[in-house]
Amino acid sequence: MITKFANPARFERLAKTLLPVLTGLATLLLALGLCDALLLSPPDYQQHDAVRIMYIHVPSAWLAMMIYASCGVAALVFIVWKHTLAELFMRAAFPVGAVATLICLGTGMLWGKPMWGAWWVWDARLTSVLVLMFLYIAILALMDAFDRPEQGALAAGWLTLIGMINLPVIKYSVEWWNTLHQPSSLSSFKRAMKPAMADEMLRPLLTMAFGLFCYAAIIVIVRLRGEIIARKRLISGKR
Amino acid sequence: MLAKLLAHFAATGLPVALFAPPVLSLMMPGVYLLLPCLWAGLLLGGLCFSSIGLLGAALALGSRRNAALQAVIVLPLSVPPLIFGAGSVTSGQLDMGFLAPLAFLGAFACVSLTLSPFAAAWIVRMKVTTP
């Protein structure tokens, strides 16, 4: 199955059909989600309107971790089978994940100041996400530091695999340690069936999350197309 | 790789771990109560840092801007041992027992010490063999 989709020509055809669908979905979901999040959903009984930061903070955190996980899979595929498309996917997706992490940290700080009274505390959740940010920066720096792109991708792929250990630490940091950050409200499917959140707040949260996922998928696909074209030029230029 | 790691640790981490706590306890009263915690923490932490540094050196091998790159790679990986090491001293000062953070530090040292030589060797071998 992997080899079937690892063909750039097949990817190009897939991208042509997927892009309009994803664009429509992202526009629809983000428009609906933003209206719902900013206007229709009720303010929190303690946090008032500041709770609306959640509708961008939580989806961007999910996105940051999902992109890292998918890049981990791509890194494994690249290291084991040397598929160039996996390398190009890493190049296309990592900056998007880094931006998602940055948004997550930034909105978290903006939320922390009014609610906790501090922009930043060194609790386990915040620190592990900061480590994720540093990992993203290190991987991006490593990827472009070599004369030959494959070597950079190889080193960055190894660092990606080593850094995968951080993902479960982020997820369970609020349960393993006593944190100021609140524990998860939607930690598993079992709890997602009966979440610790009102339906009127869950609905915009999930709409925004899926809208952002579609938006990120669009950016990654477009960037991946660019990377493929650039790599083809590099190869034909060398000959 | 393990030999290189241990040599690096013997040259940098070990002297600091052995001699810094007694010197510190001469300068600051009350530190001698935490001497075992400081010794164990610095020994384990030094081993963690040496094995992380081994990975960083292997990954940055053959790149441009080698030194700056190594610092960037090592930074995220060295945050956990730093936190647990500092945490053991803090909870020791508060009389809460420094063993729990030290156990985390020891676990990190065990994992990094056993895995990083193999990972580093593999990375270097792949870098040498890929055309």
Side-chain angles (χ1 to χ4, degrees):
Chain A
M1 209 210 60
I2 289 172
T3 47
K4 200 177 157 192
F5 287 108
N7 180 340
R10 199 170 268 120
F11 165 76
E12 194 62 34
R13 258 176 284 149
L14 193 68
K16 263 188 192 137
T17 51
L18 269 182
L19 270 182
V21 178
L22 283 173
T23 313
L25 261 180
T27 319
L28 190 72
L29 285 174
L30 282 179
L32 280 177
L34 273 179
C35 287
D36 207 356
L38 293 180
L39 301 172
L40 298 176
S41 71
D44 189 73
Y45 80 105
Q46 278 179 326
Q47 307 188 11
H48 308 294
D49 279 332
V51 77
R52 300 184 199 282
I53 297 174
M54 175 184 73
Y55 303 121
I56 190 79
H57 175 72
V58 175
S60 61
W62 286 343
L63 193 61
M65 287 173 70
M66 270 171 48
I67 291 180
Y68 195 93
S70 65
C71 283
V73 176
L76 190 69
V77 169
F78 177 68
I79 287 170
V80 175
W81 288 293
K82 296 276 186 304
H83 266 308
T84 312
L85 202 60
E87 180 206 333
L88 296 179
F89 176 80
M90 278 164 64
R91 286 181 189 282
F94 262 122
V96 184
V99 170
T101 317
L102 203 62
I103 292 174
C104 171
L105 284 173
T107 52
M109 287 163 96
L110 290 178
W111 201 2
K113 185 62 185 168
M115 291 305 127
W116 300 339
W119 297 104
W120 185 264
V121 285
W122 290 100
D123 96 345
R125 176 53 77 80
L126 279 69
T127 310
S128 54
V129 176
L130 188 69
V131 168
L132 183 73
M133 184 77 229
F134 286 154
L135 274 172
Y136 268 121
I137 293 172
I139 290 163
L140 286 174
L142 199 55
M143 205 134 56
D144 289 329
F146 290 83
D147 288 330
R148 272 175 298 148
E150 308 89 60
Q151 284 232 317
L154 193 70
W158 269 98
L159 189 57
T160 313
L161 290 184
I162 296 165
M164 285 290 271
I165 188 78
N166 192 28
L167 287 187
V169 174
I170 293 177
K171 174 145 174 34
Y172 293 108
S173 56
V174 283
E175 290 169 32
W176 292 343
W177 288 283
N178 230 336
T179 52
L180 186 56
H181 190 285
Q182 64 144 28
S184 174
S185 306
L186 299 160
S187 53
S188 64
F189 282 112
K190 211 162 120 196
R191 284 193 66 183
M193 290 294 112
K194 203 173 172 302
M197 193 189 289
D199 283 344
E200 302 86 65
M201 291 183 170
L202 188 62
R203 193 185 55 226
L205 178 63
L206 291 180
T207 322
M208 285 295 287
F210 283 114
L212 269 186
F213 293 165
C214 292
Y215 181 61
I218 296 169
I219 300 178
V220 170
I221 289 175
V222 170
R223 283 182 55 88
L224 186 50
R225 270 173 144 179
E227 293 285 344
I228 290 174
I229 295 170
R231 183 54 60 89
K232 275 181 183 161
R233 283 218 184 115
L234 191 70
I235 292 170
S236 60
K238 266 183 188 163
R239 272 177 194 153
Chain B
M1 285 295 167
L2 185 64
K4 273 195 182 299
L5 192 162
L6 290 178
H8 178 263
F9 174 66
T12 57
L14 196 58
V16 173
L18 287 183
F19 298 121
V23 173
L24 202 64
S25 67
L26 284 178
M27 295 193 301
M28 289 195 273
V31 170
Y32 67 92
L33 291 171
L34 285 171
L35 267 183
C37 163
L38 284 171
W39 264 319
L42 283 173
L43 275 176
L44 292 171
L47 280 173
C48 293
F49 289 141
S50 283
S51 37
I52 291 166
L54 184 72
L55 276 178
L59 283 172
L61 186 73
S63 69
R64 291 173 268 132
R65 304 189 296 273
N66 200 319
L69 199 58
Q70 271 191 44
V72 177
I73 297 169
V74 164
L75 183 66
L77 300 177
S78 52
V79 168
L82 193 67
I83 287 174
F84 291 126
S88 74
V89 177
T90 315
S91 53
Q93 277 174 330
L94 297 173
D95 257 347
M96 298 198 308
F98 49 77
L99 279 179
L102 272 189
F104 271 106
L105 194 61
F108 197 99
C110 286
V111 172
S112 57
L113 200 59
T114 45
L115 292 184
S116 77
F118 293 104
W122 198 334
I123 293 166
V124 171
R125 198 180 305 134
M126 280 183 104
K127 283 198 173 176
V128 172
T129 51
T130 41

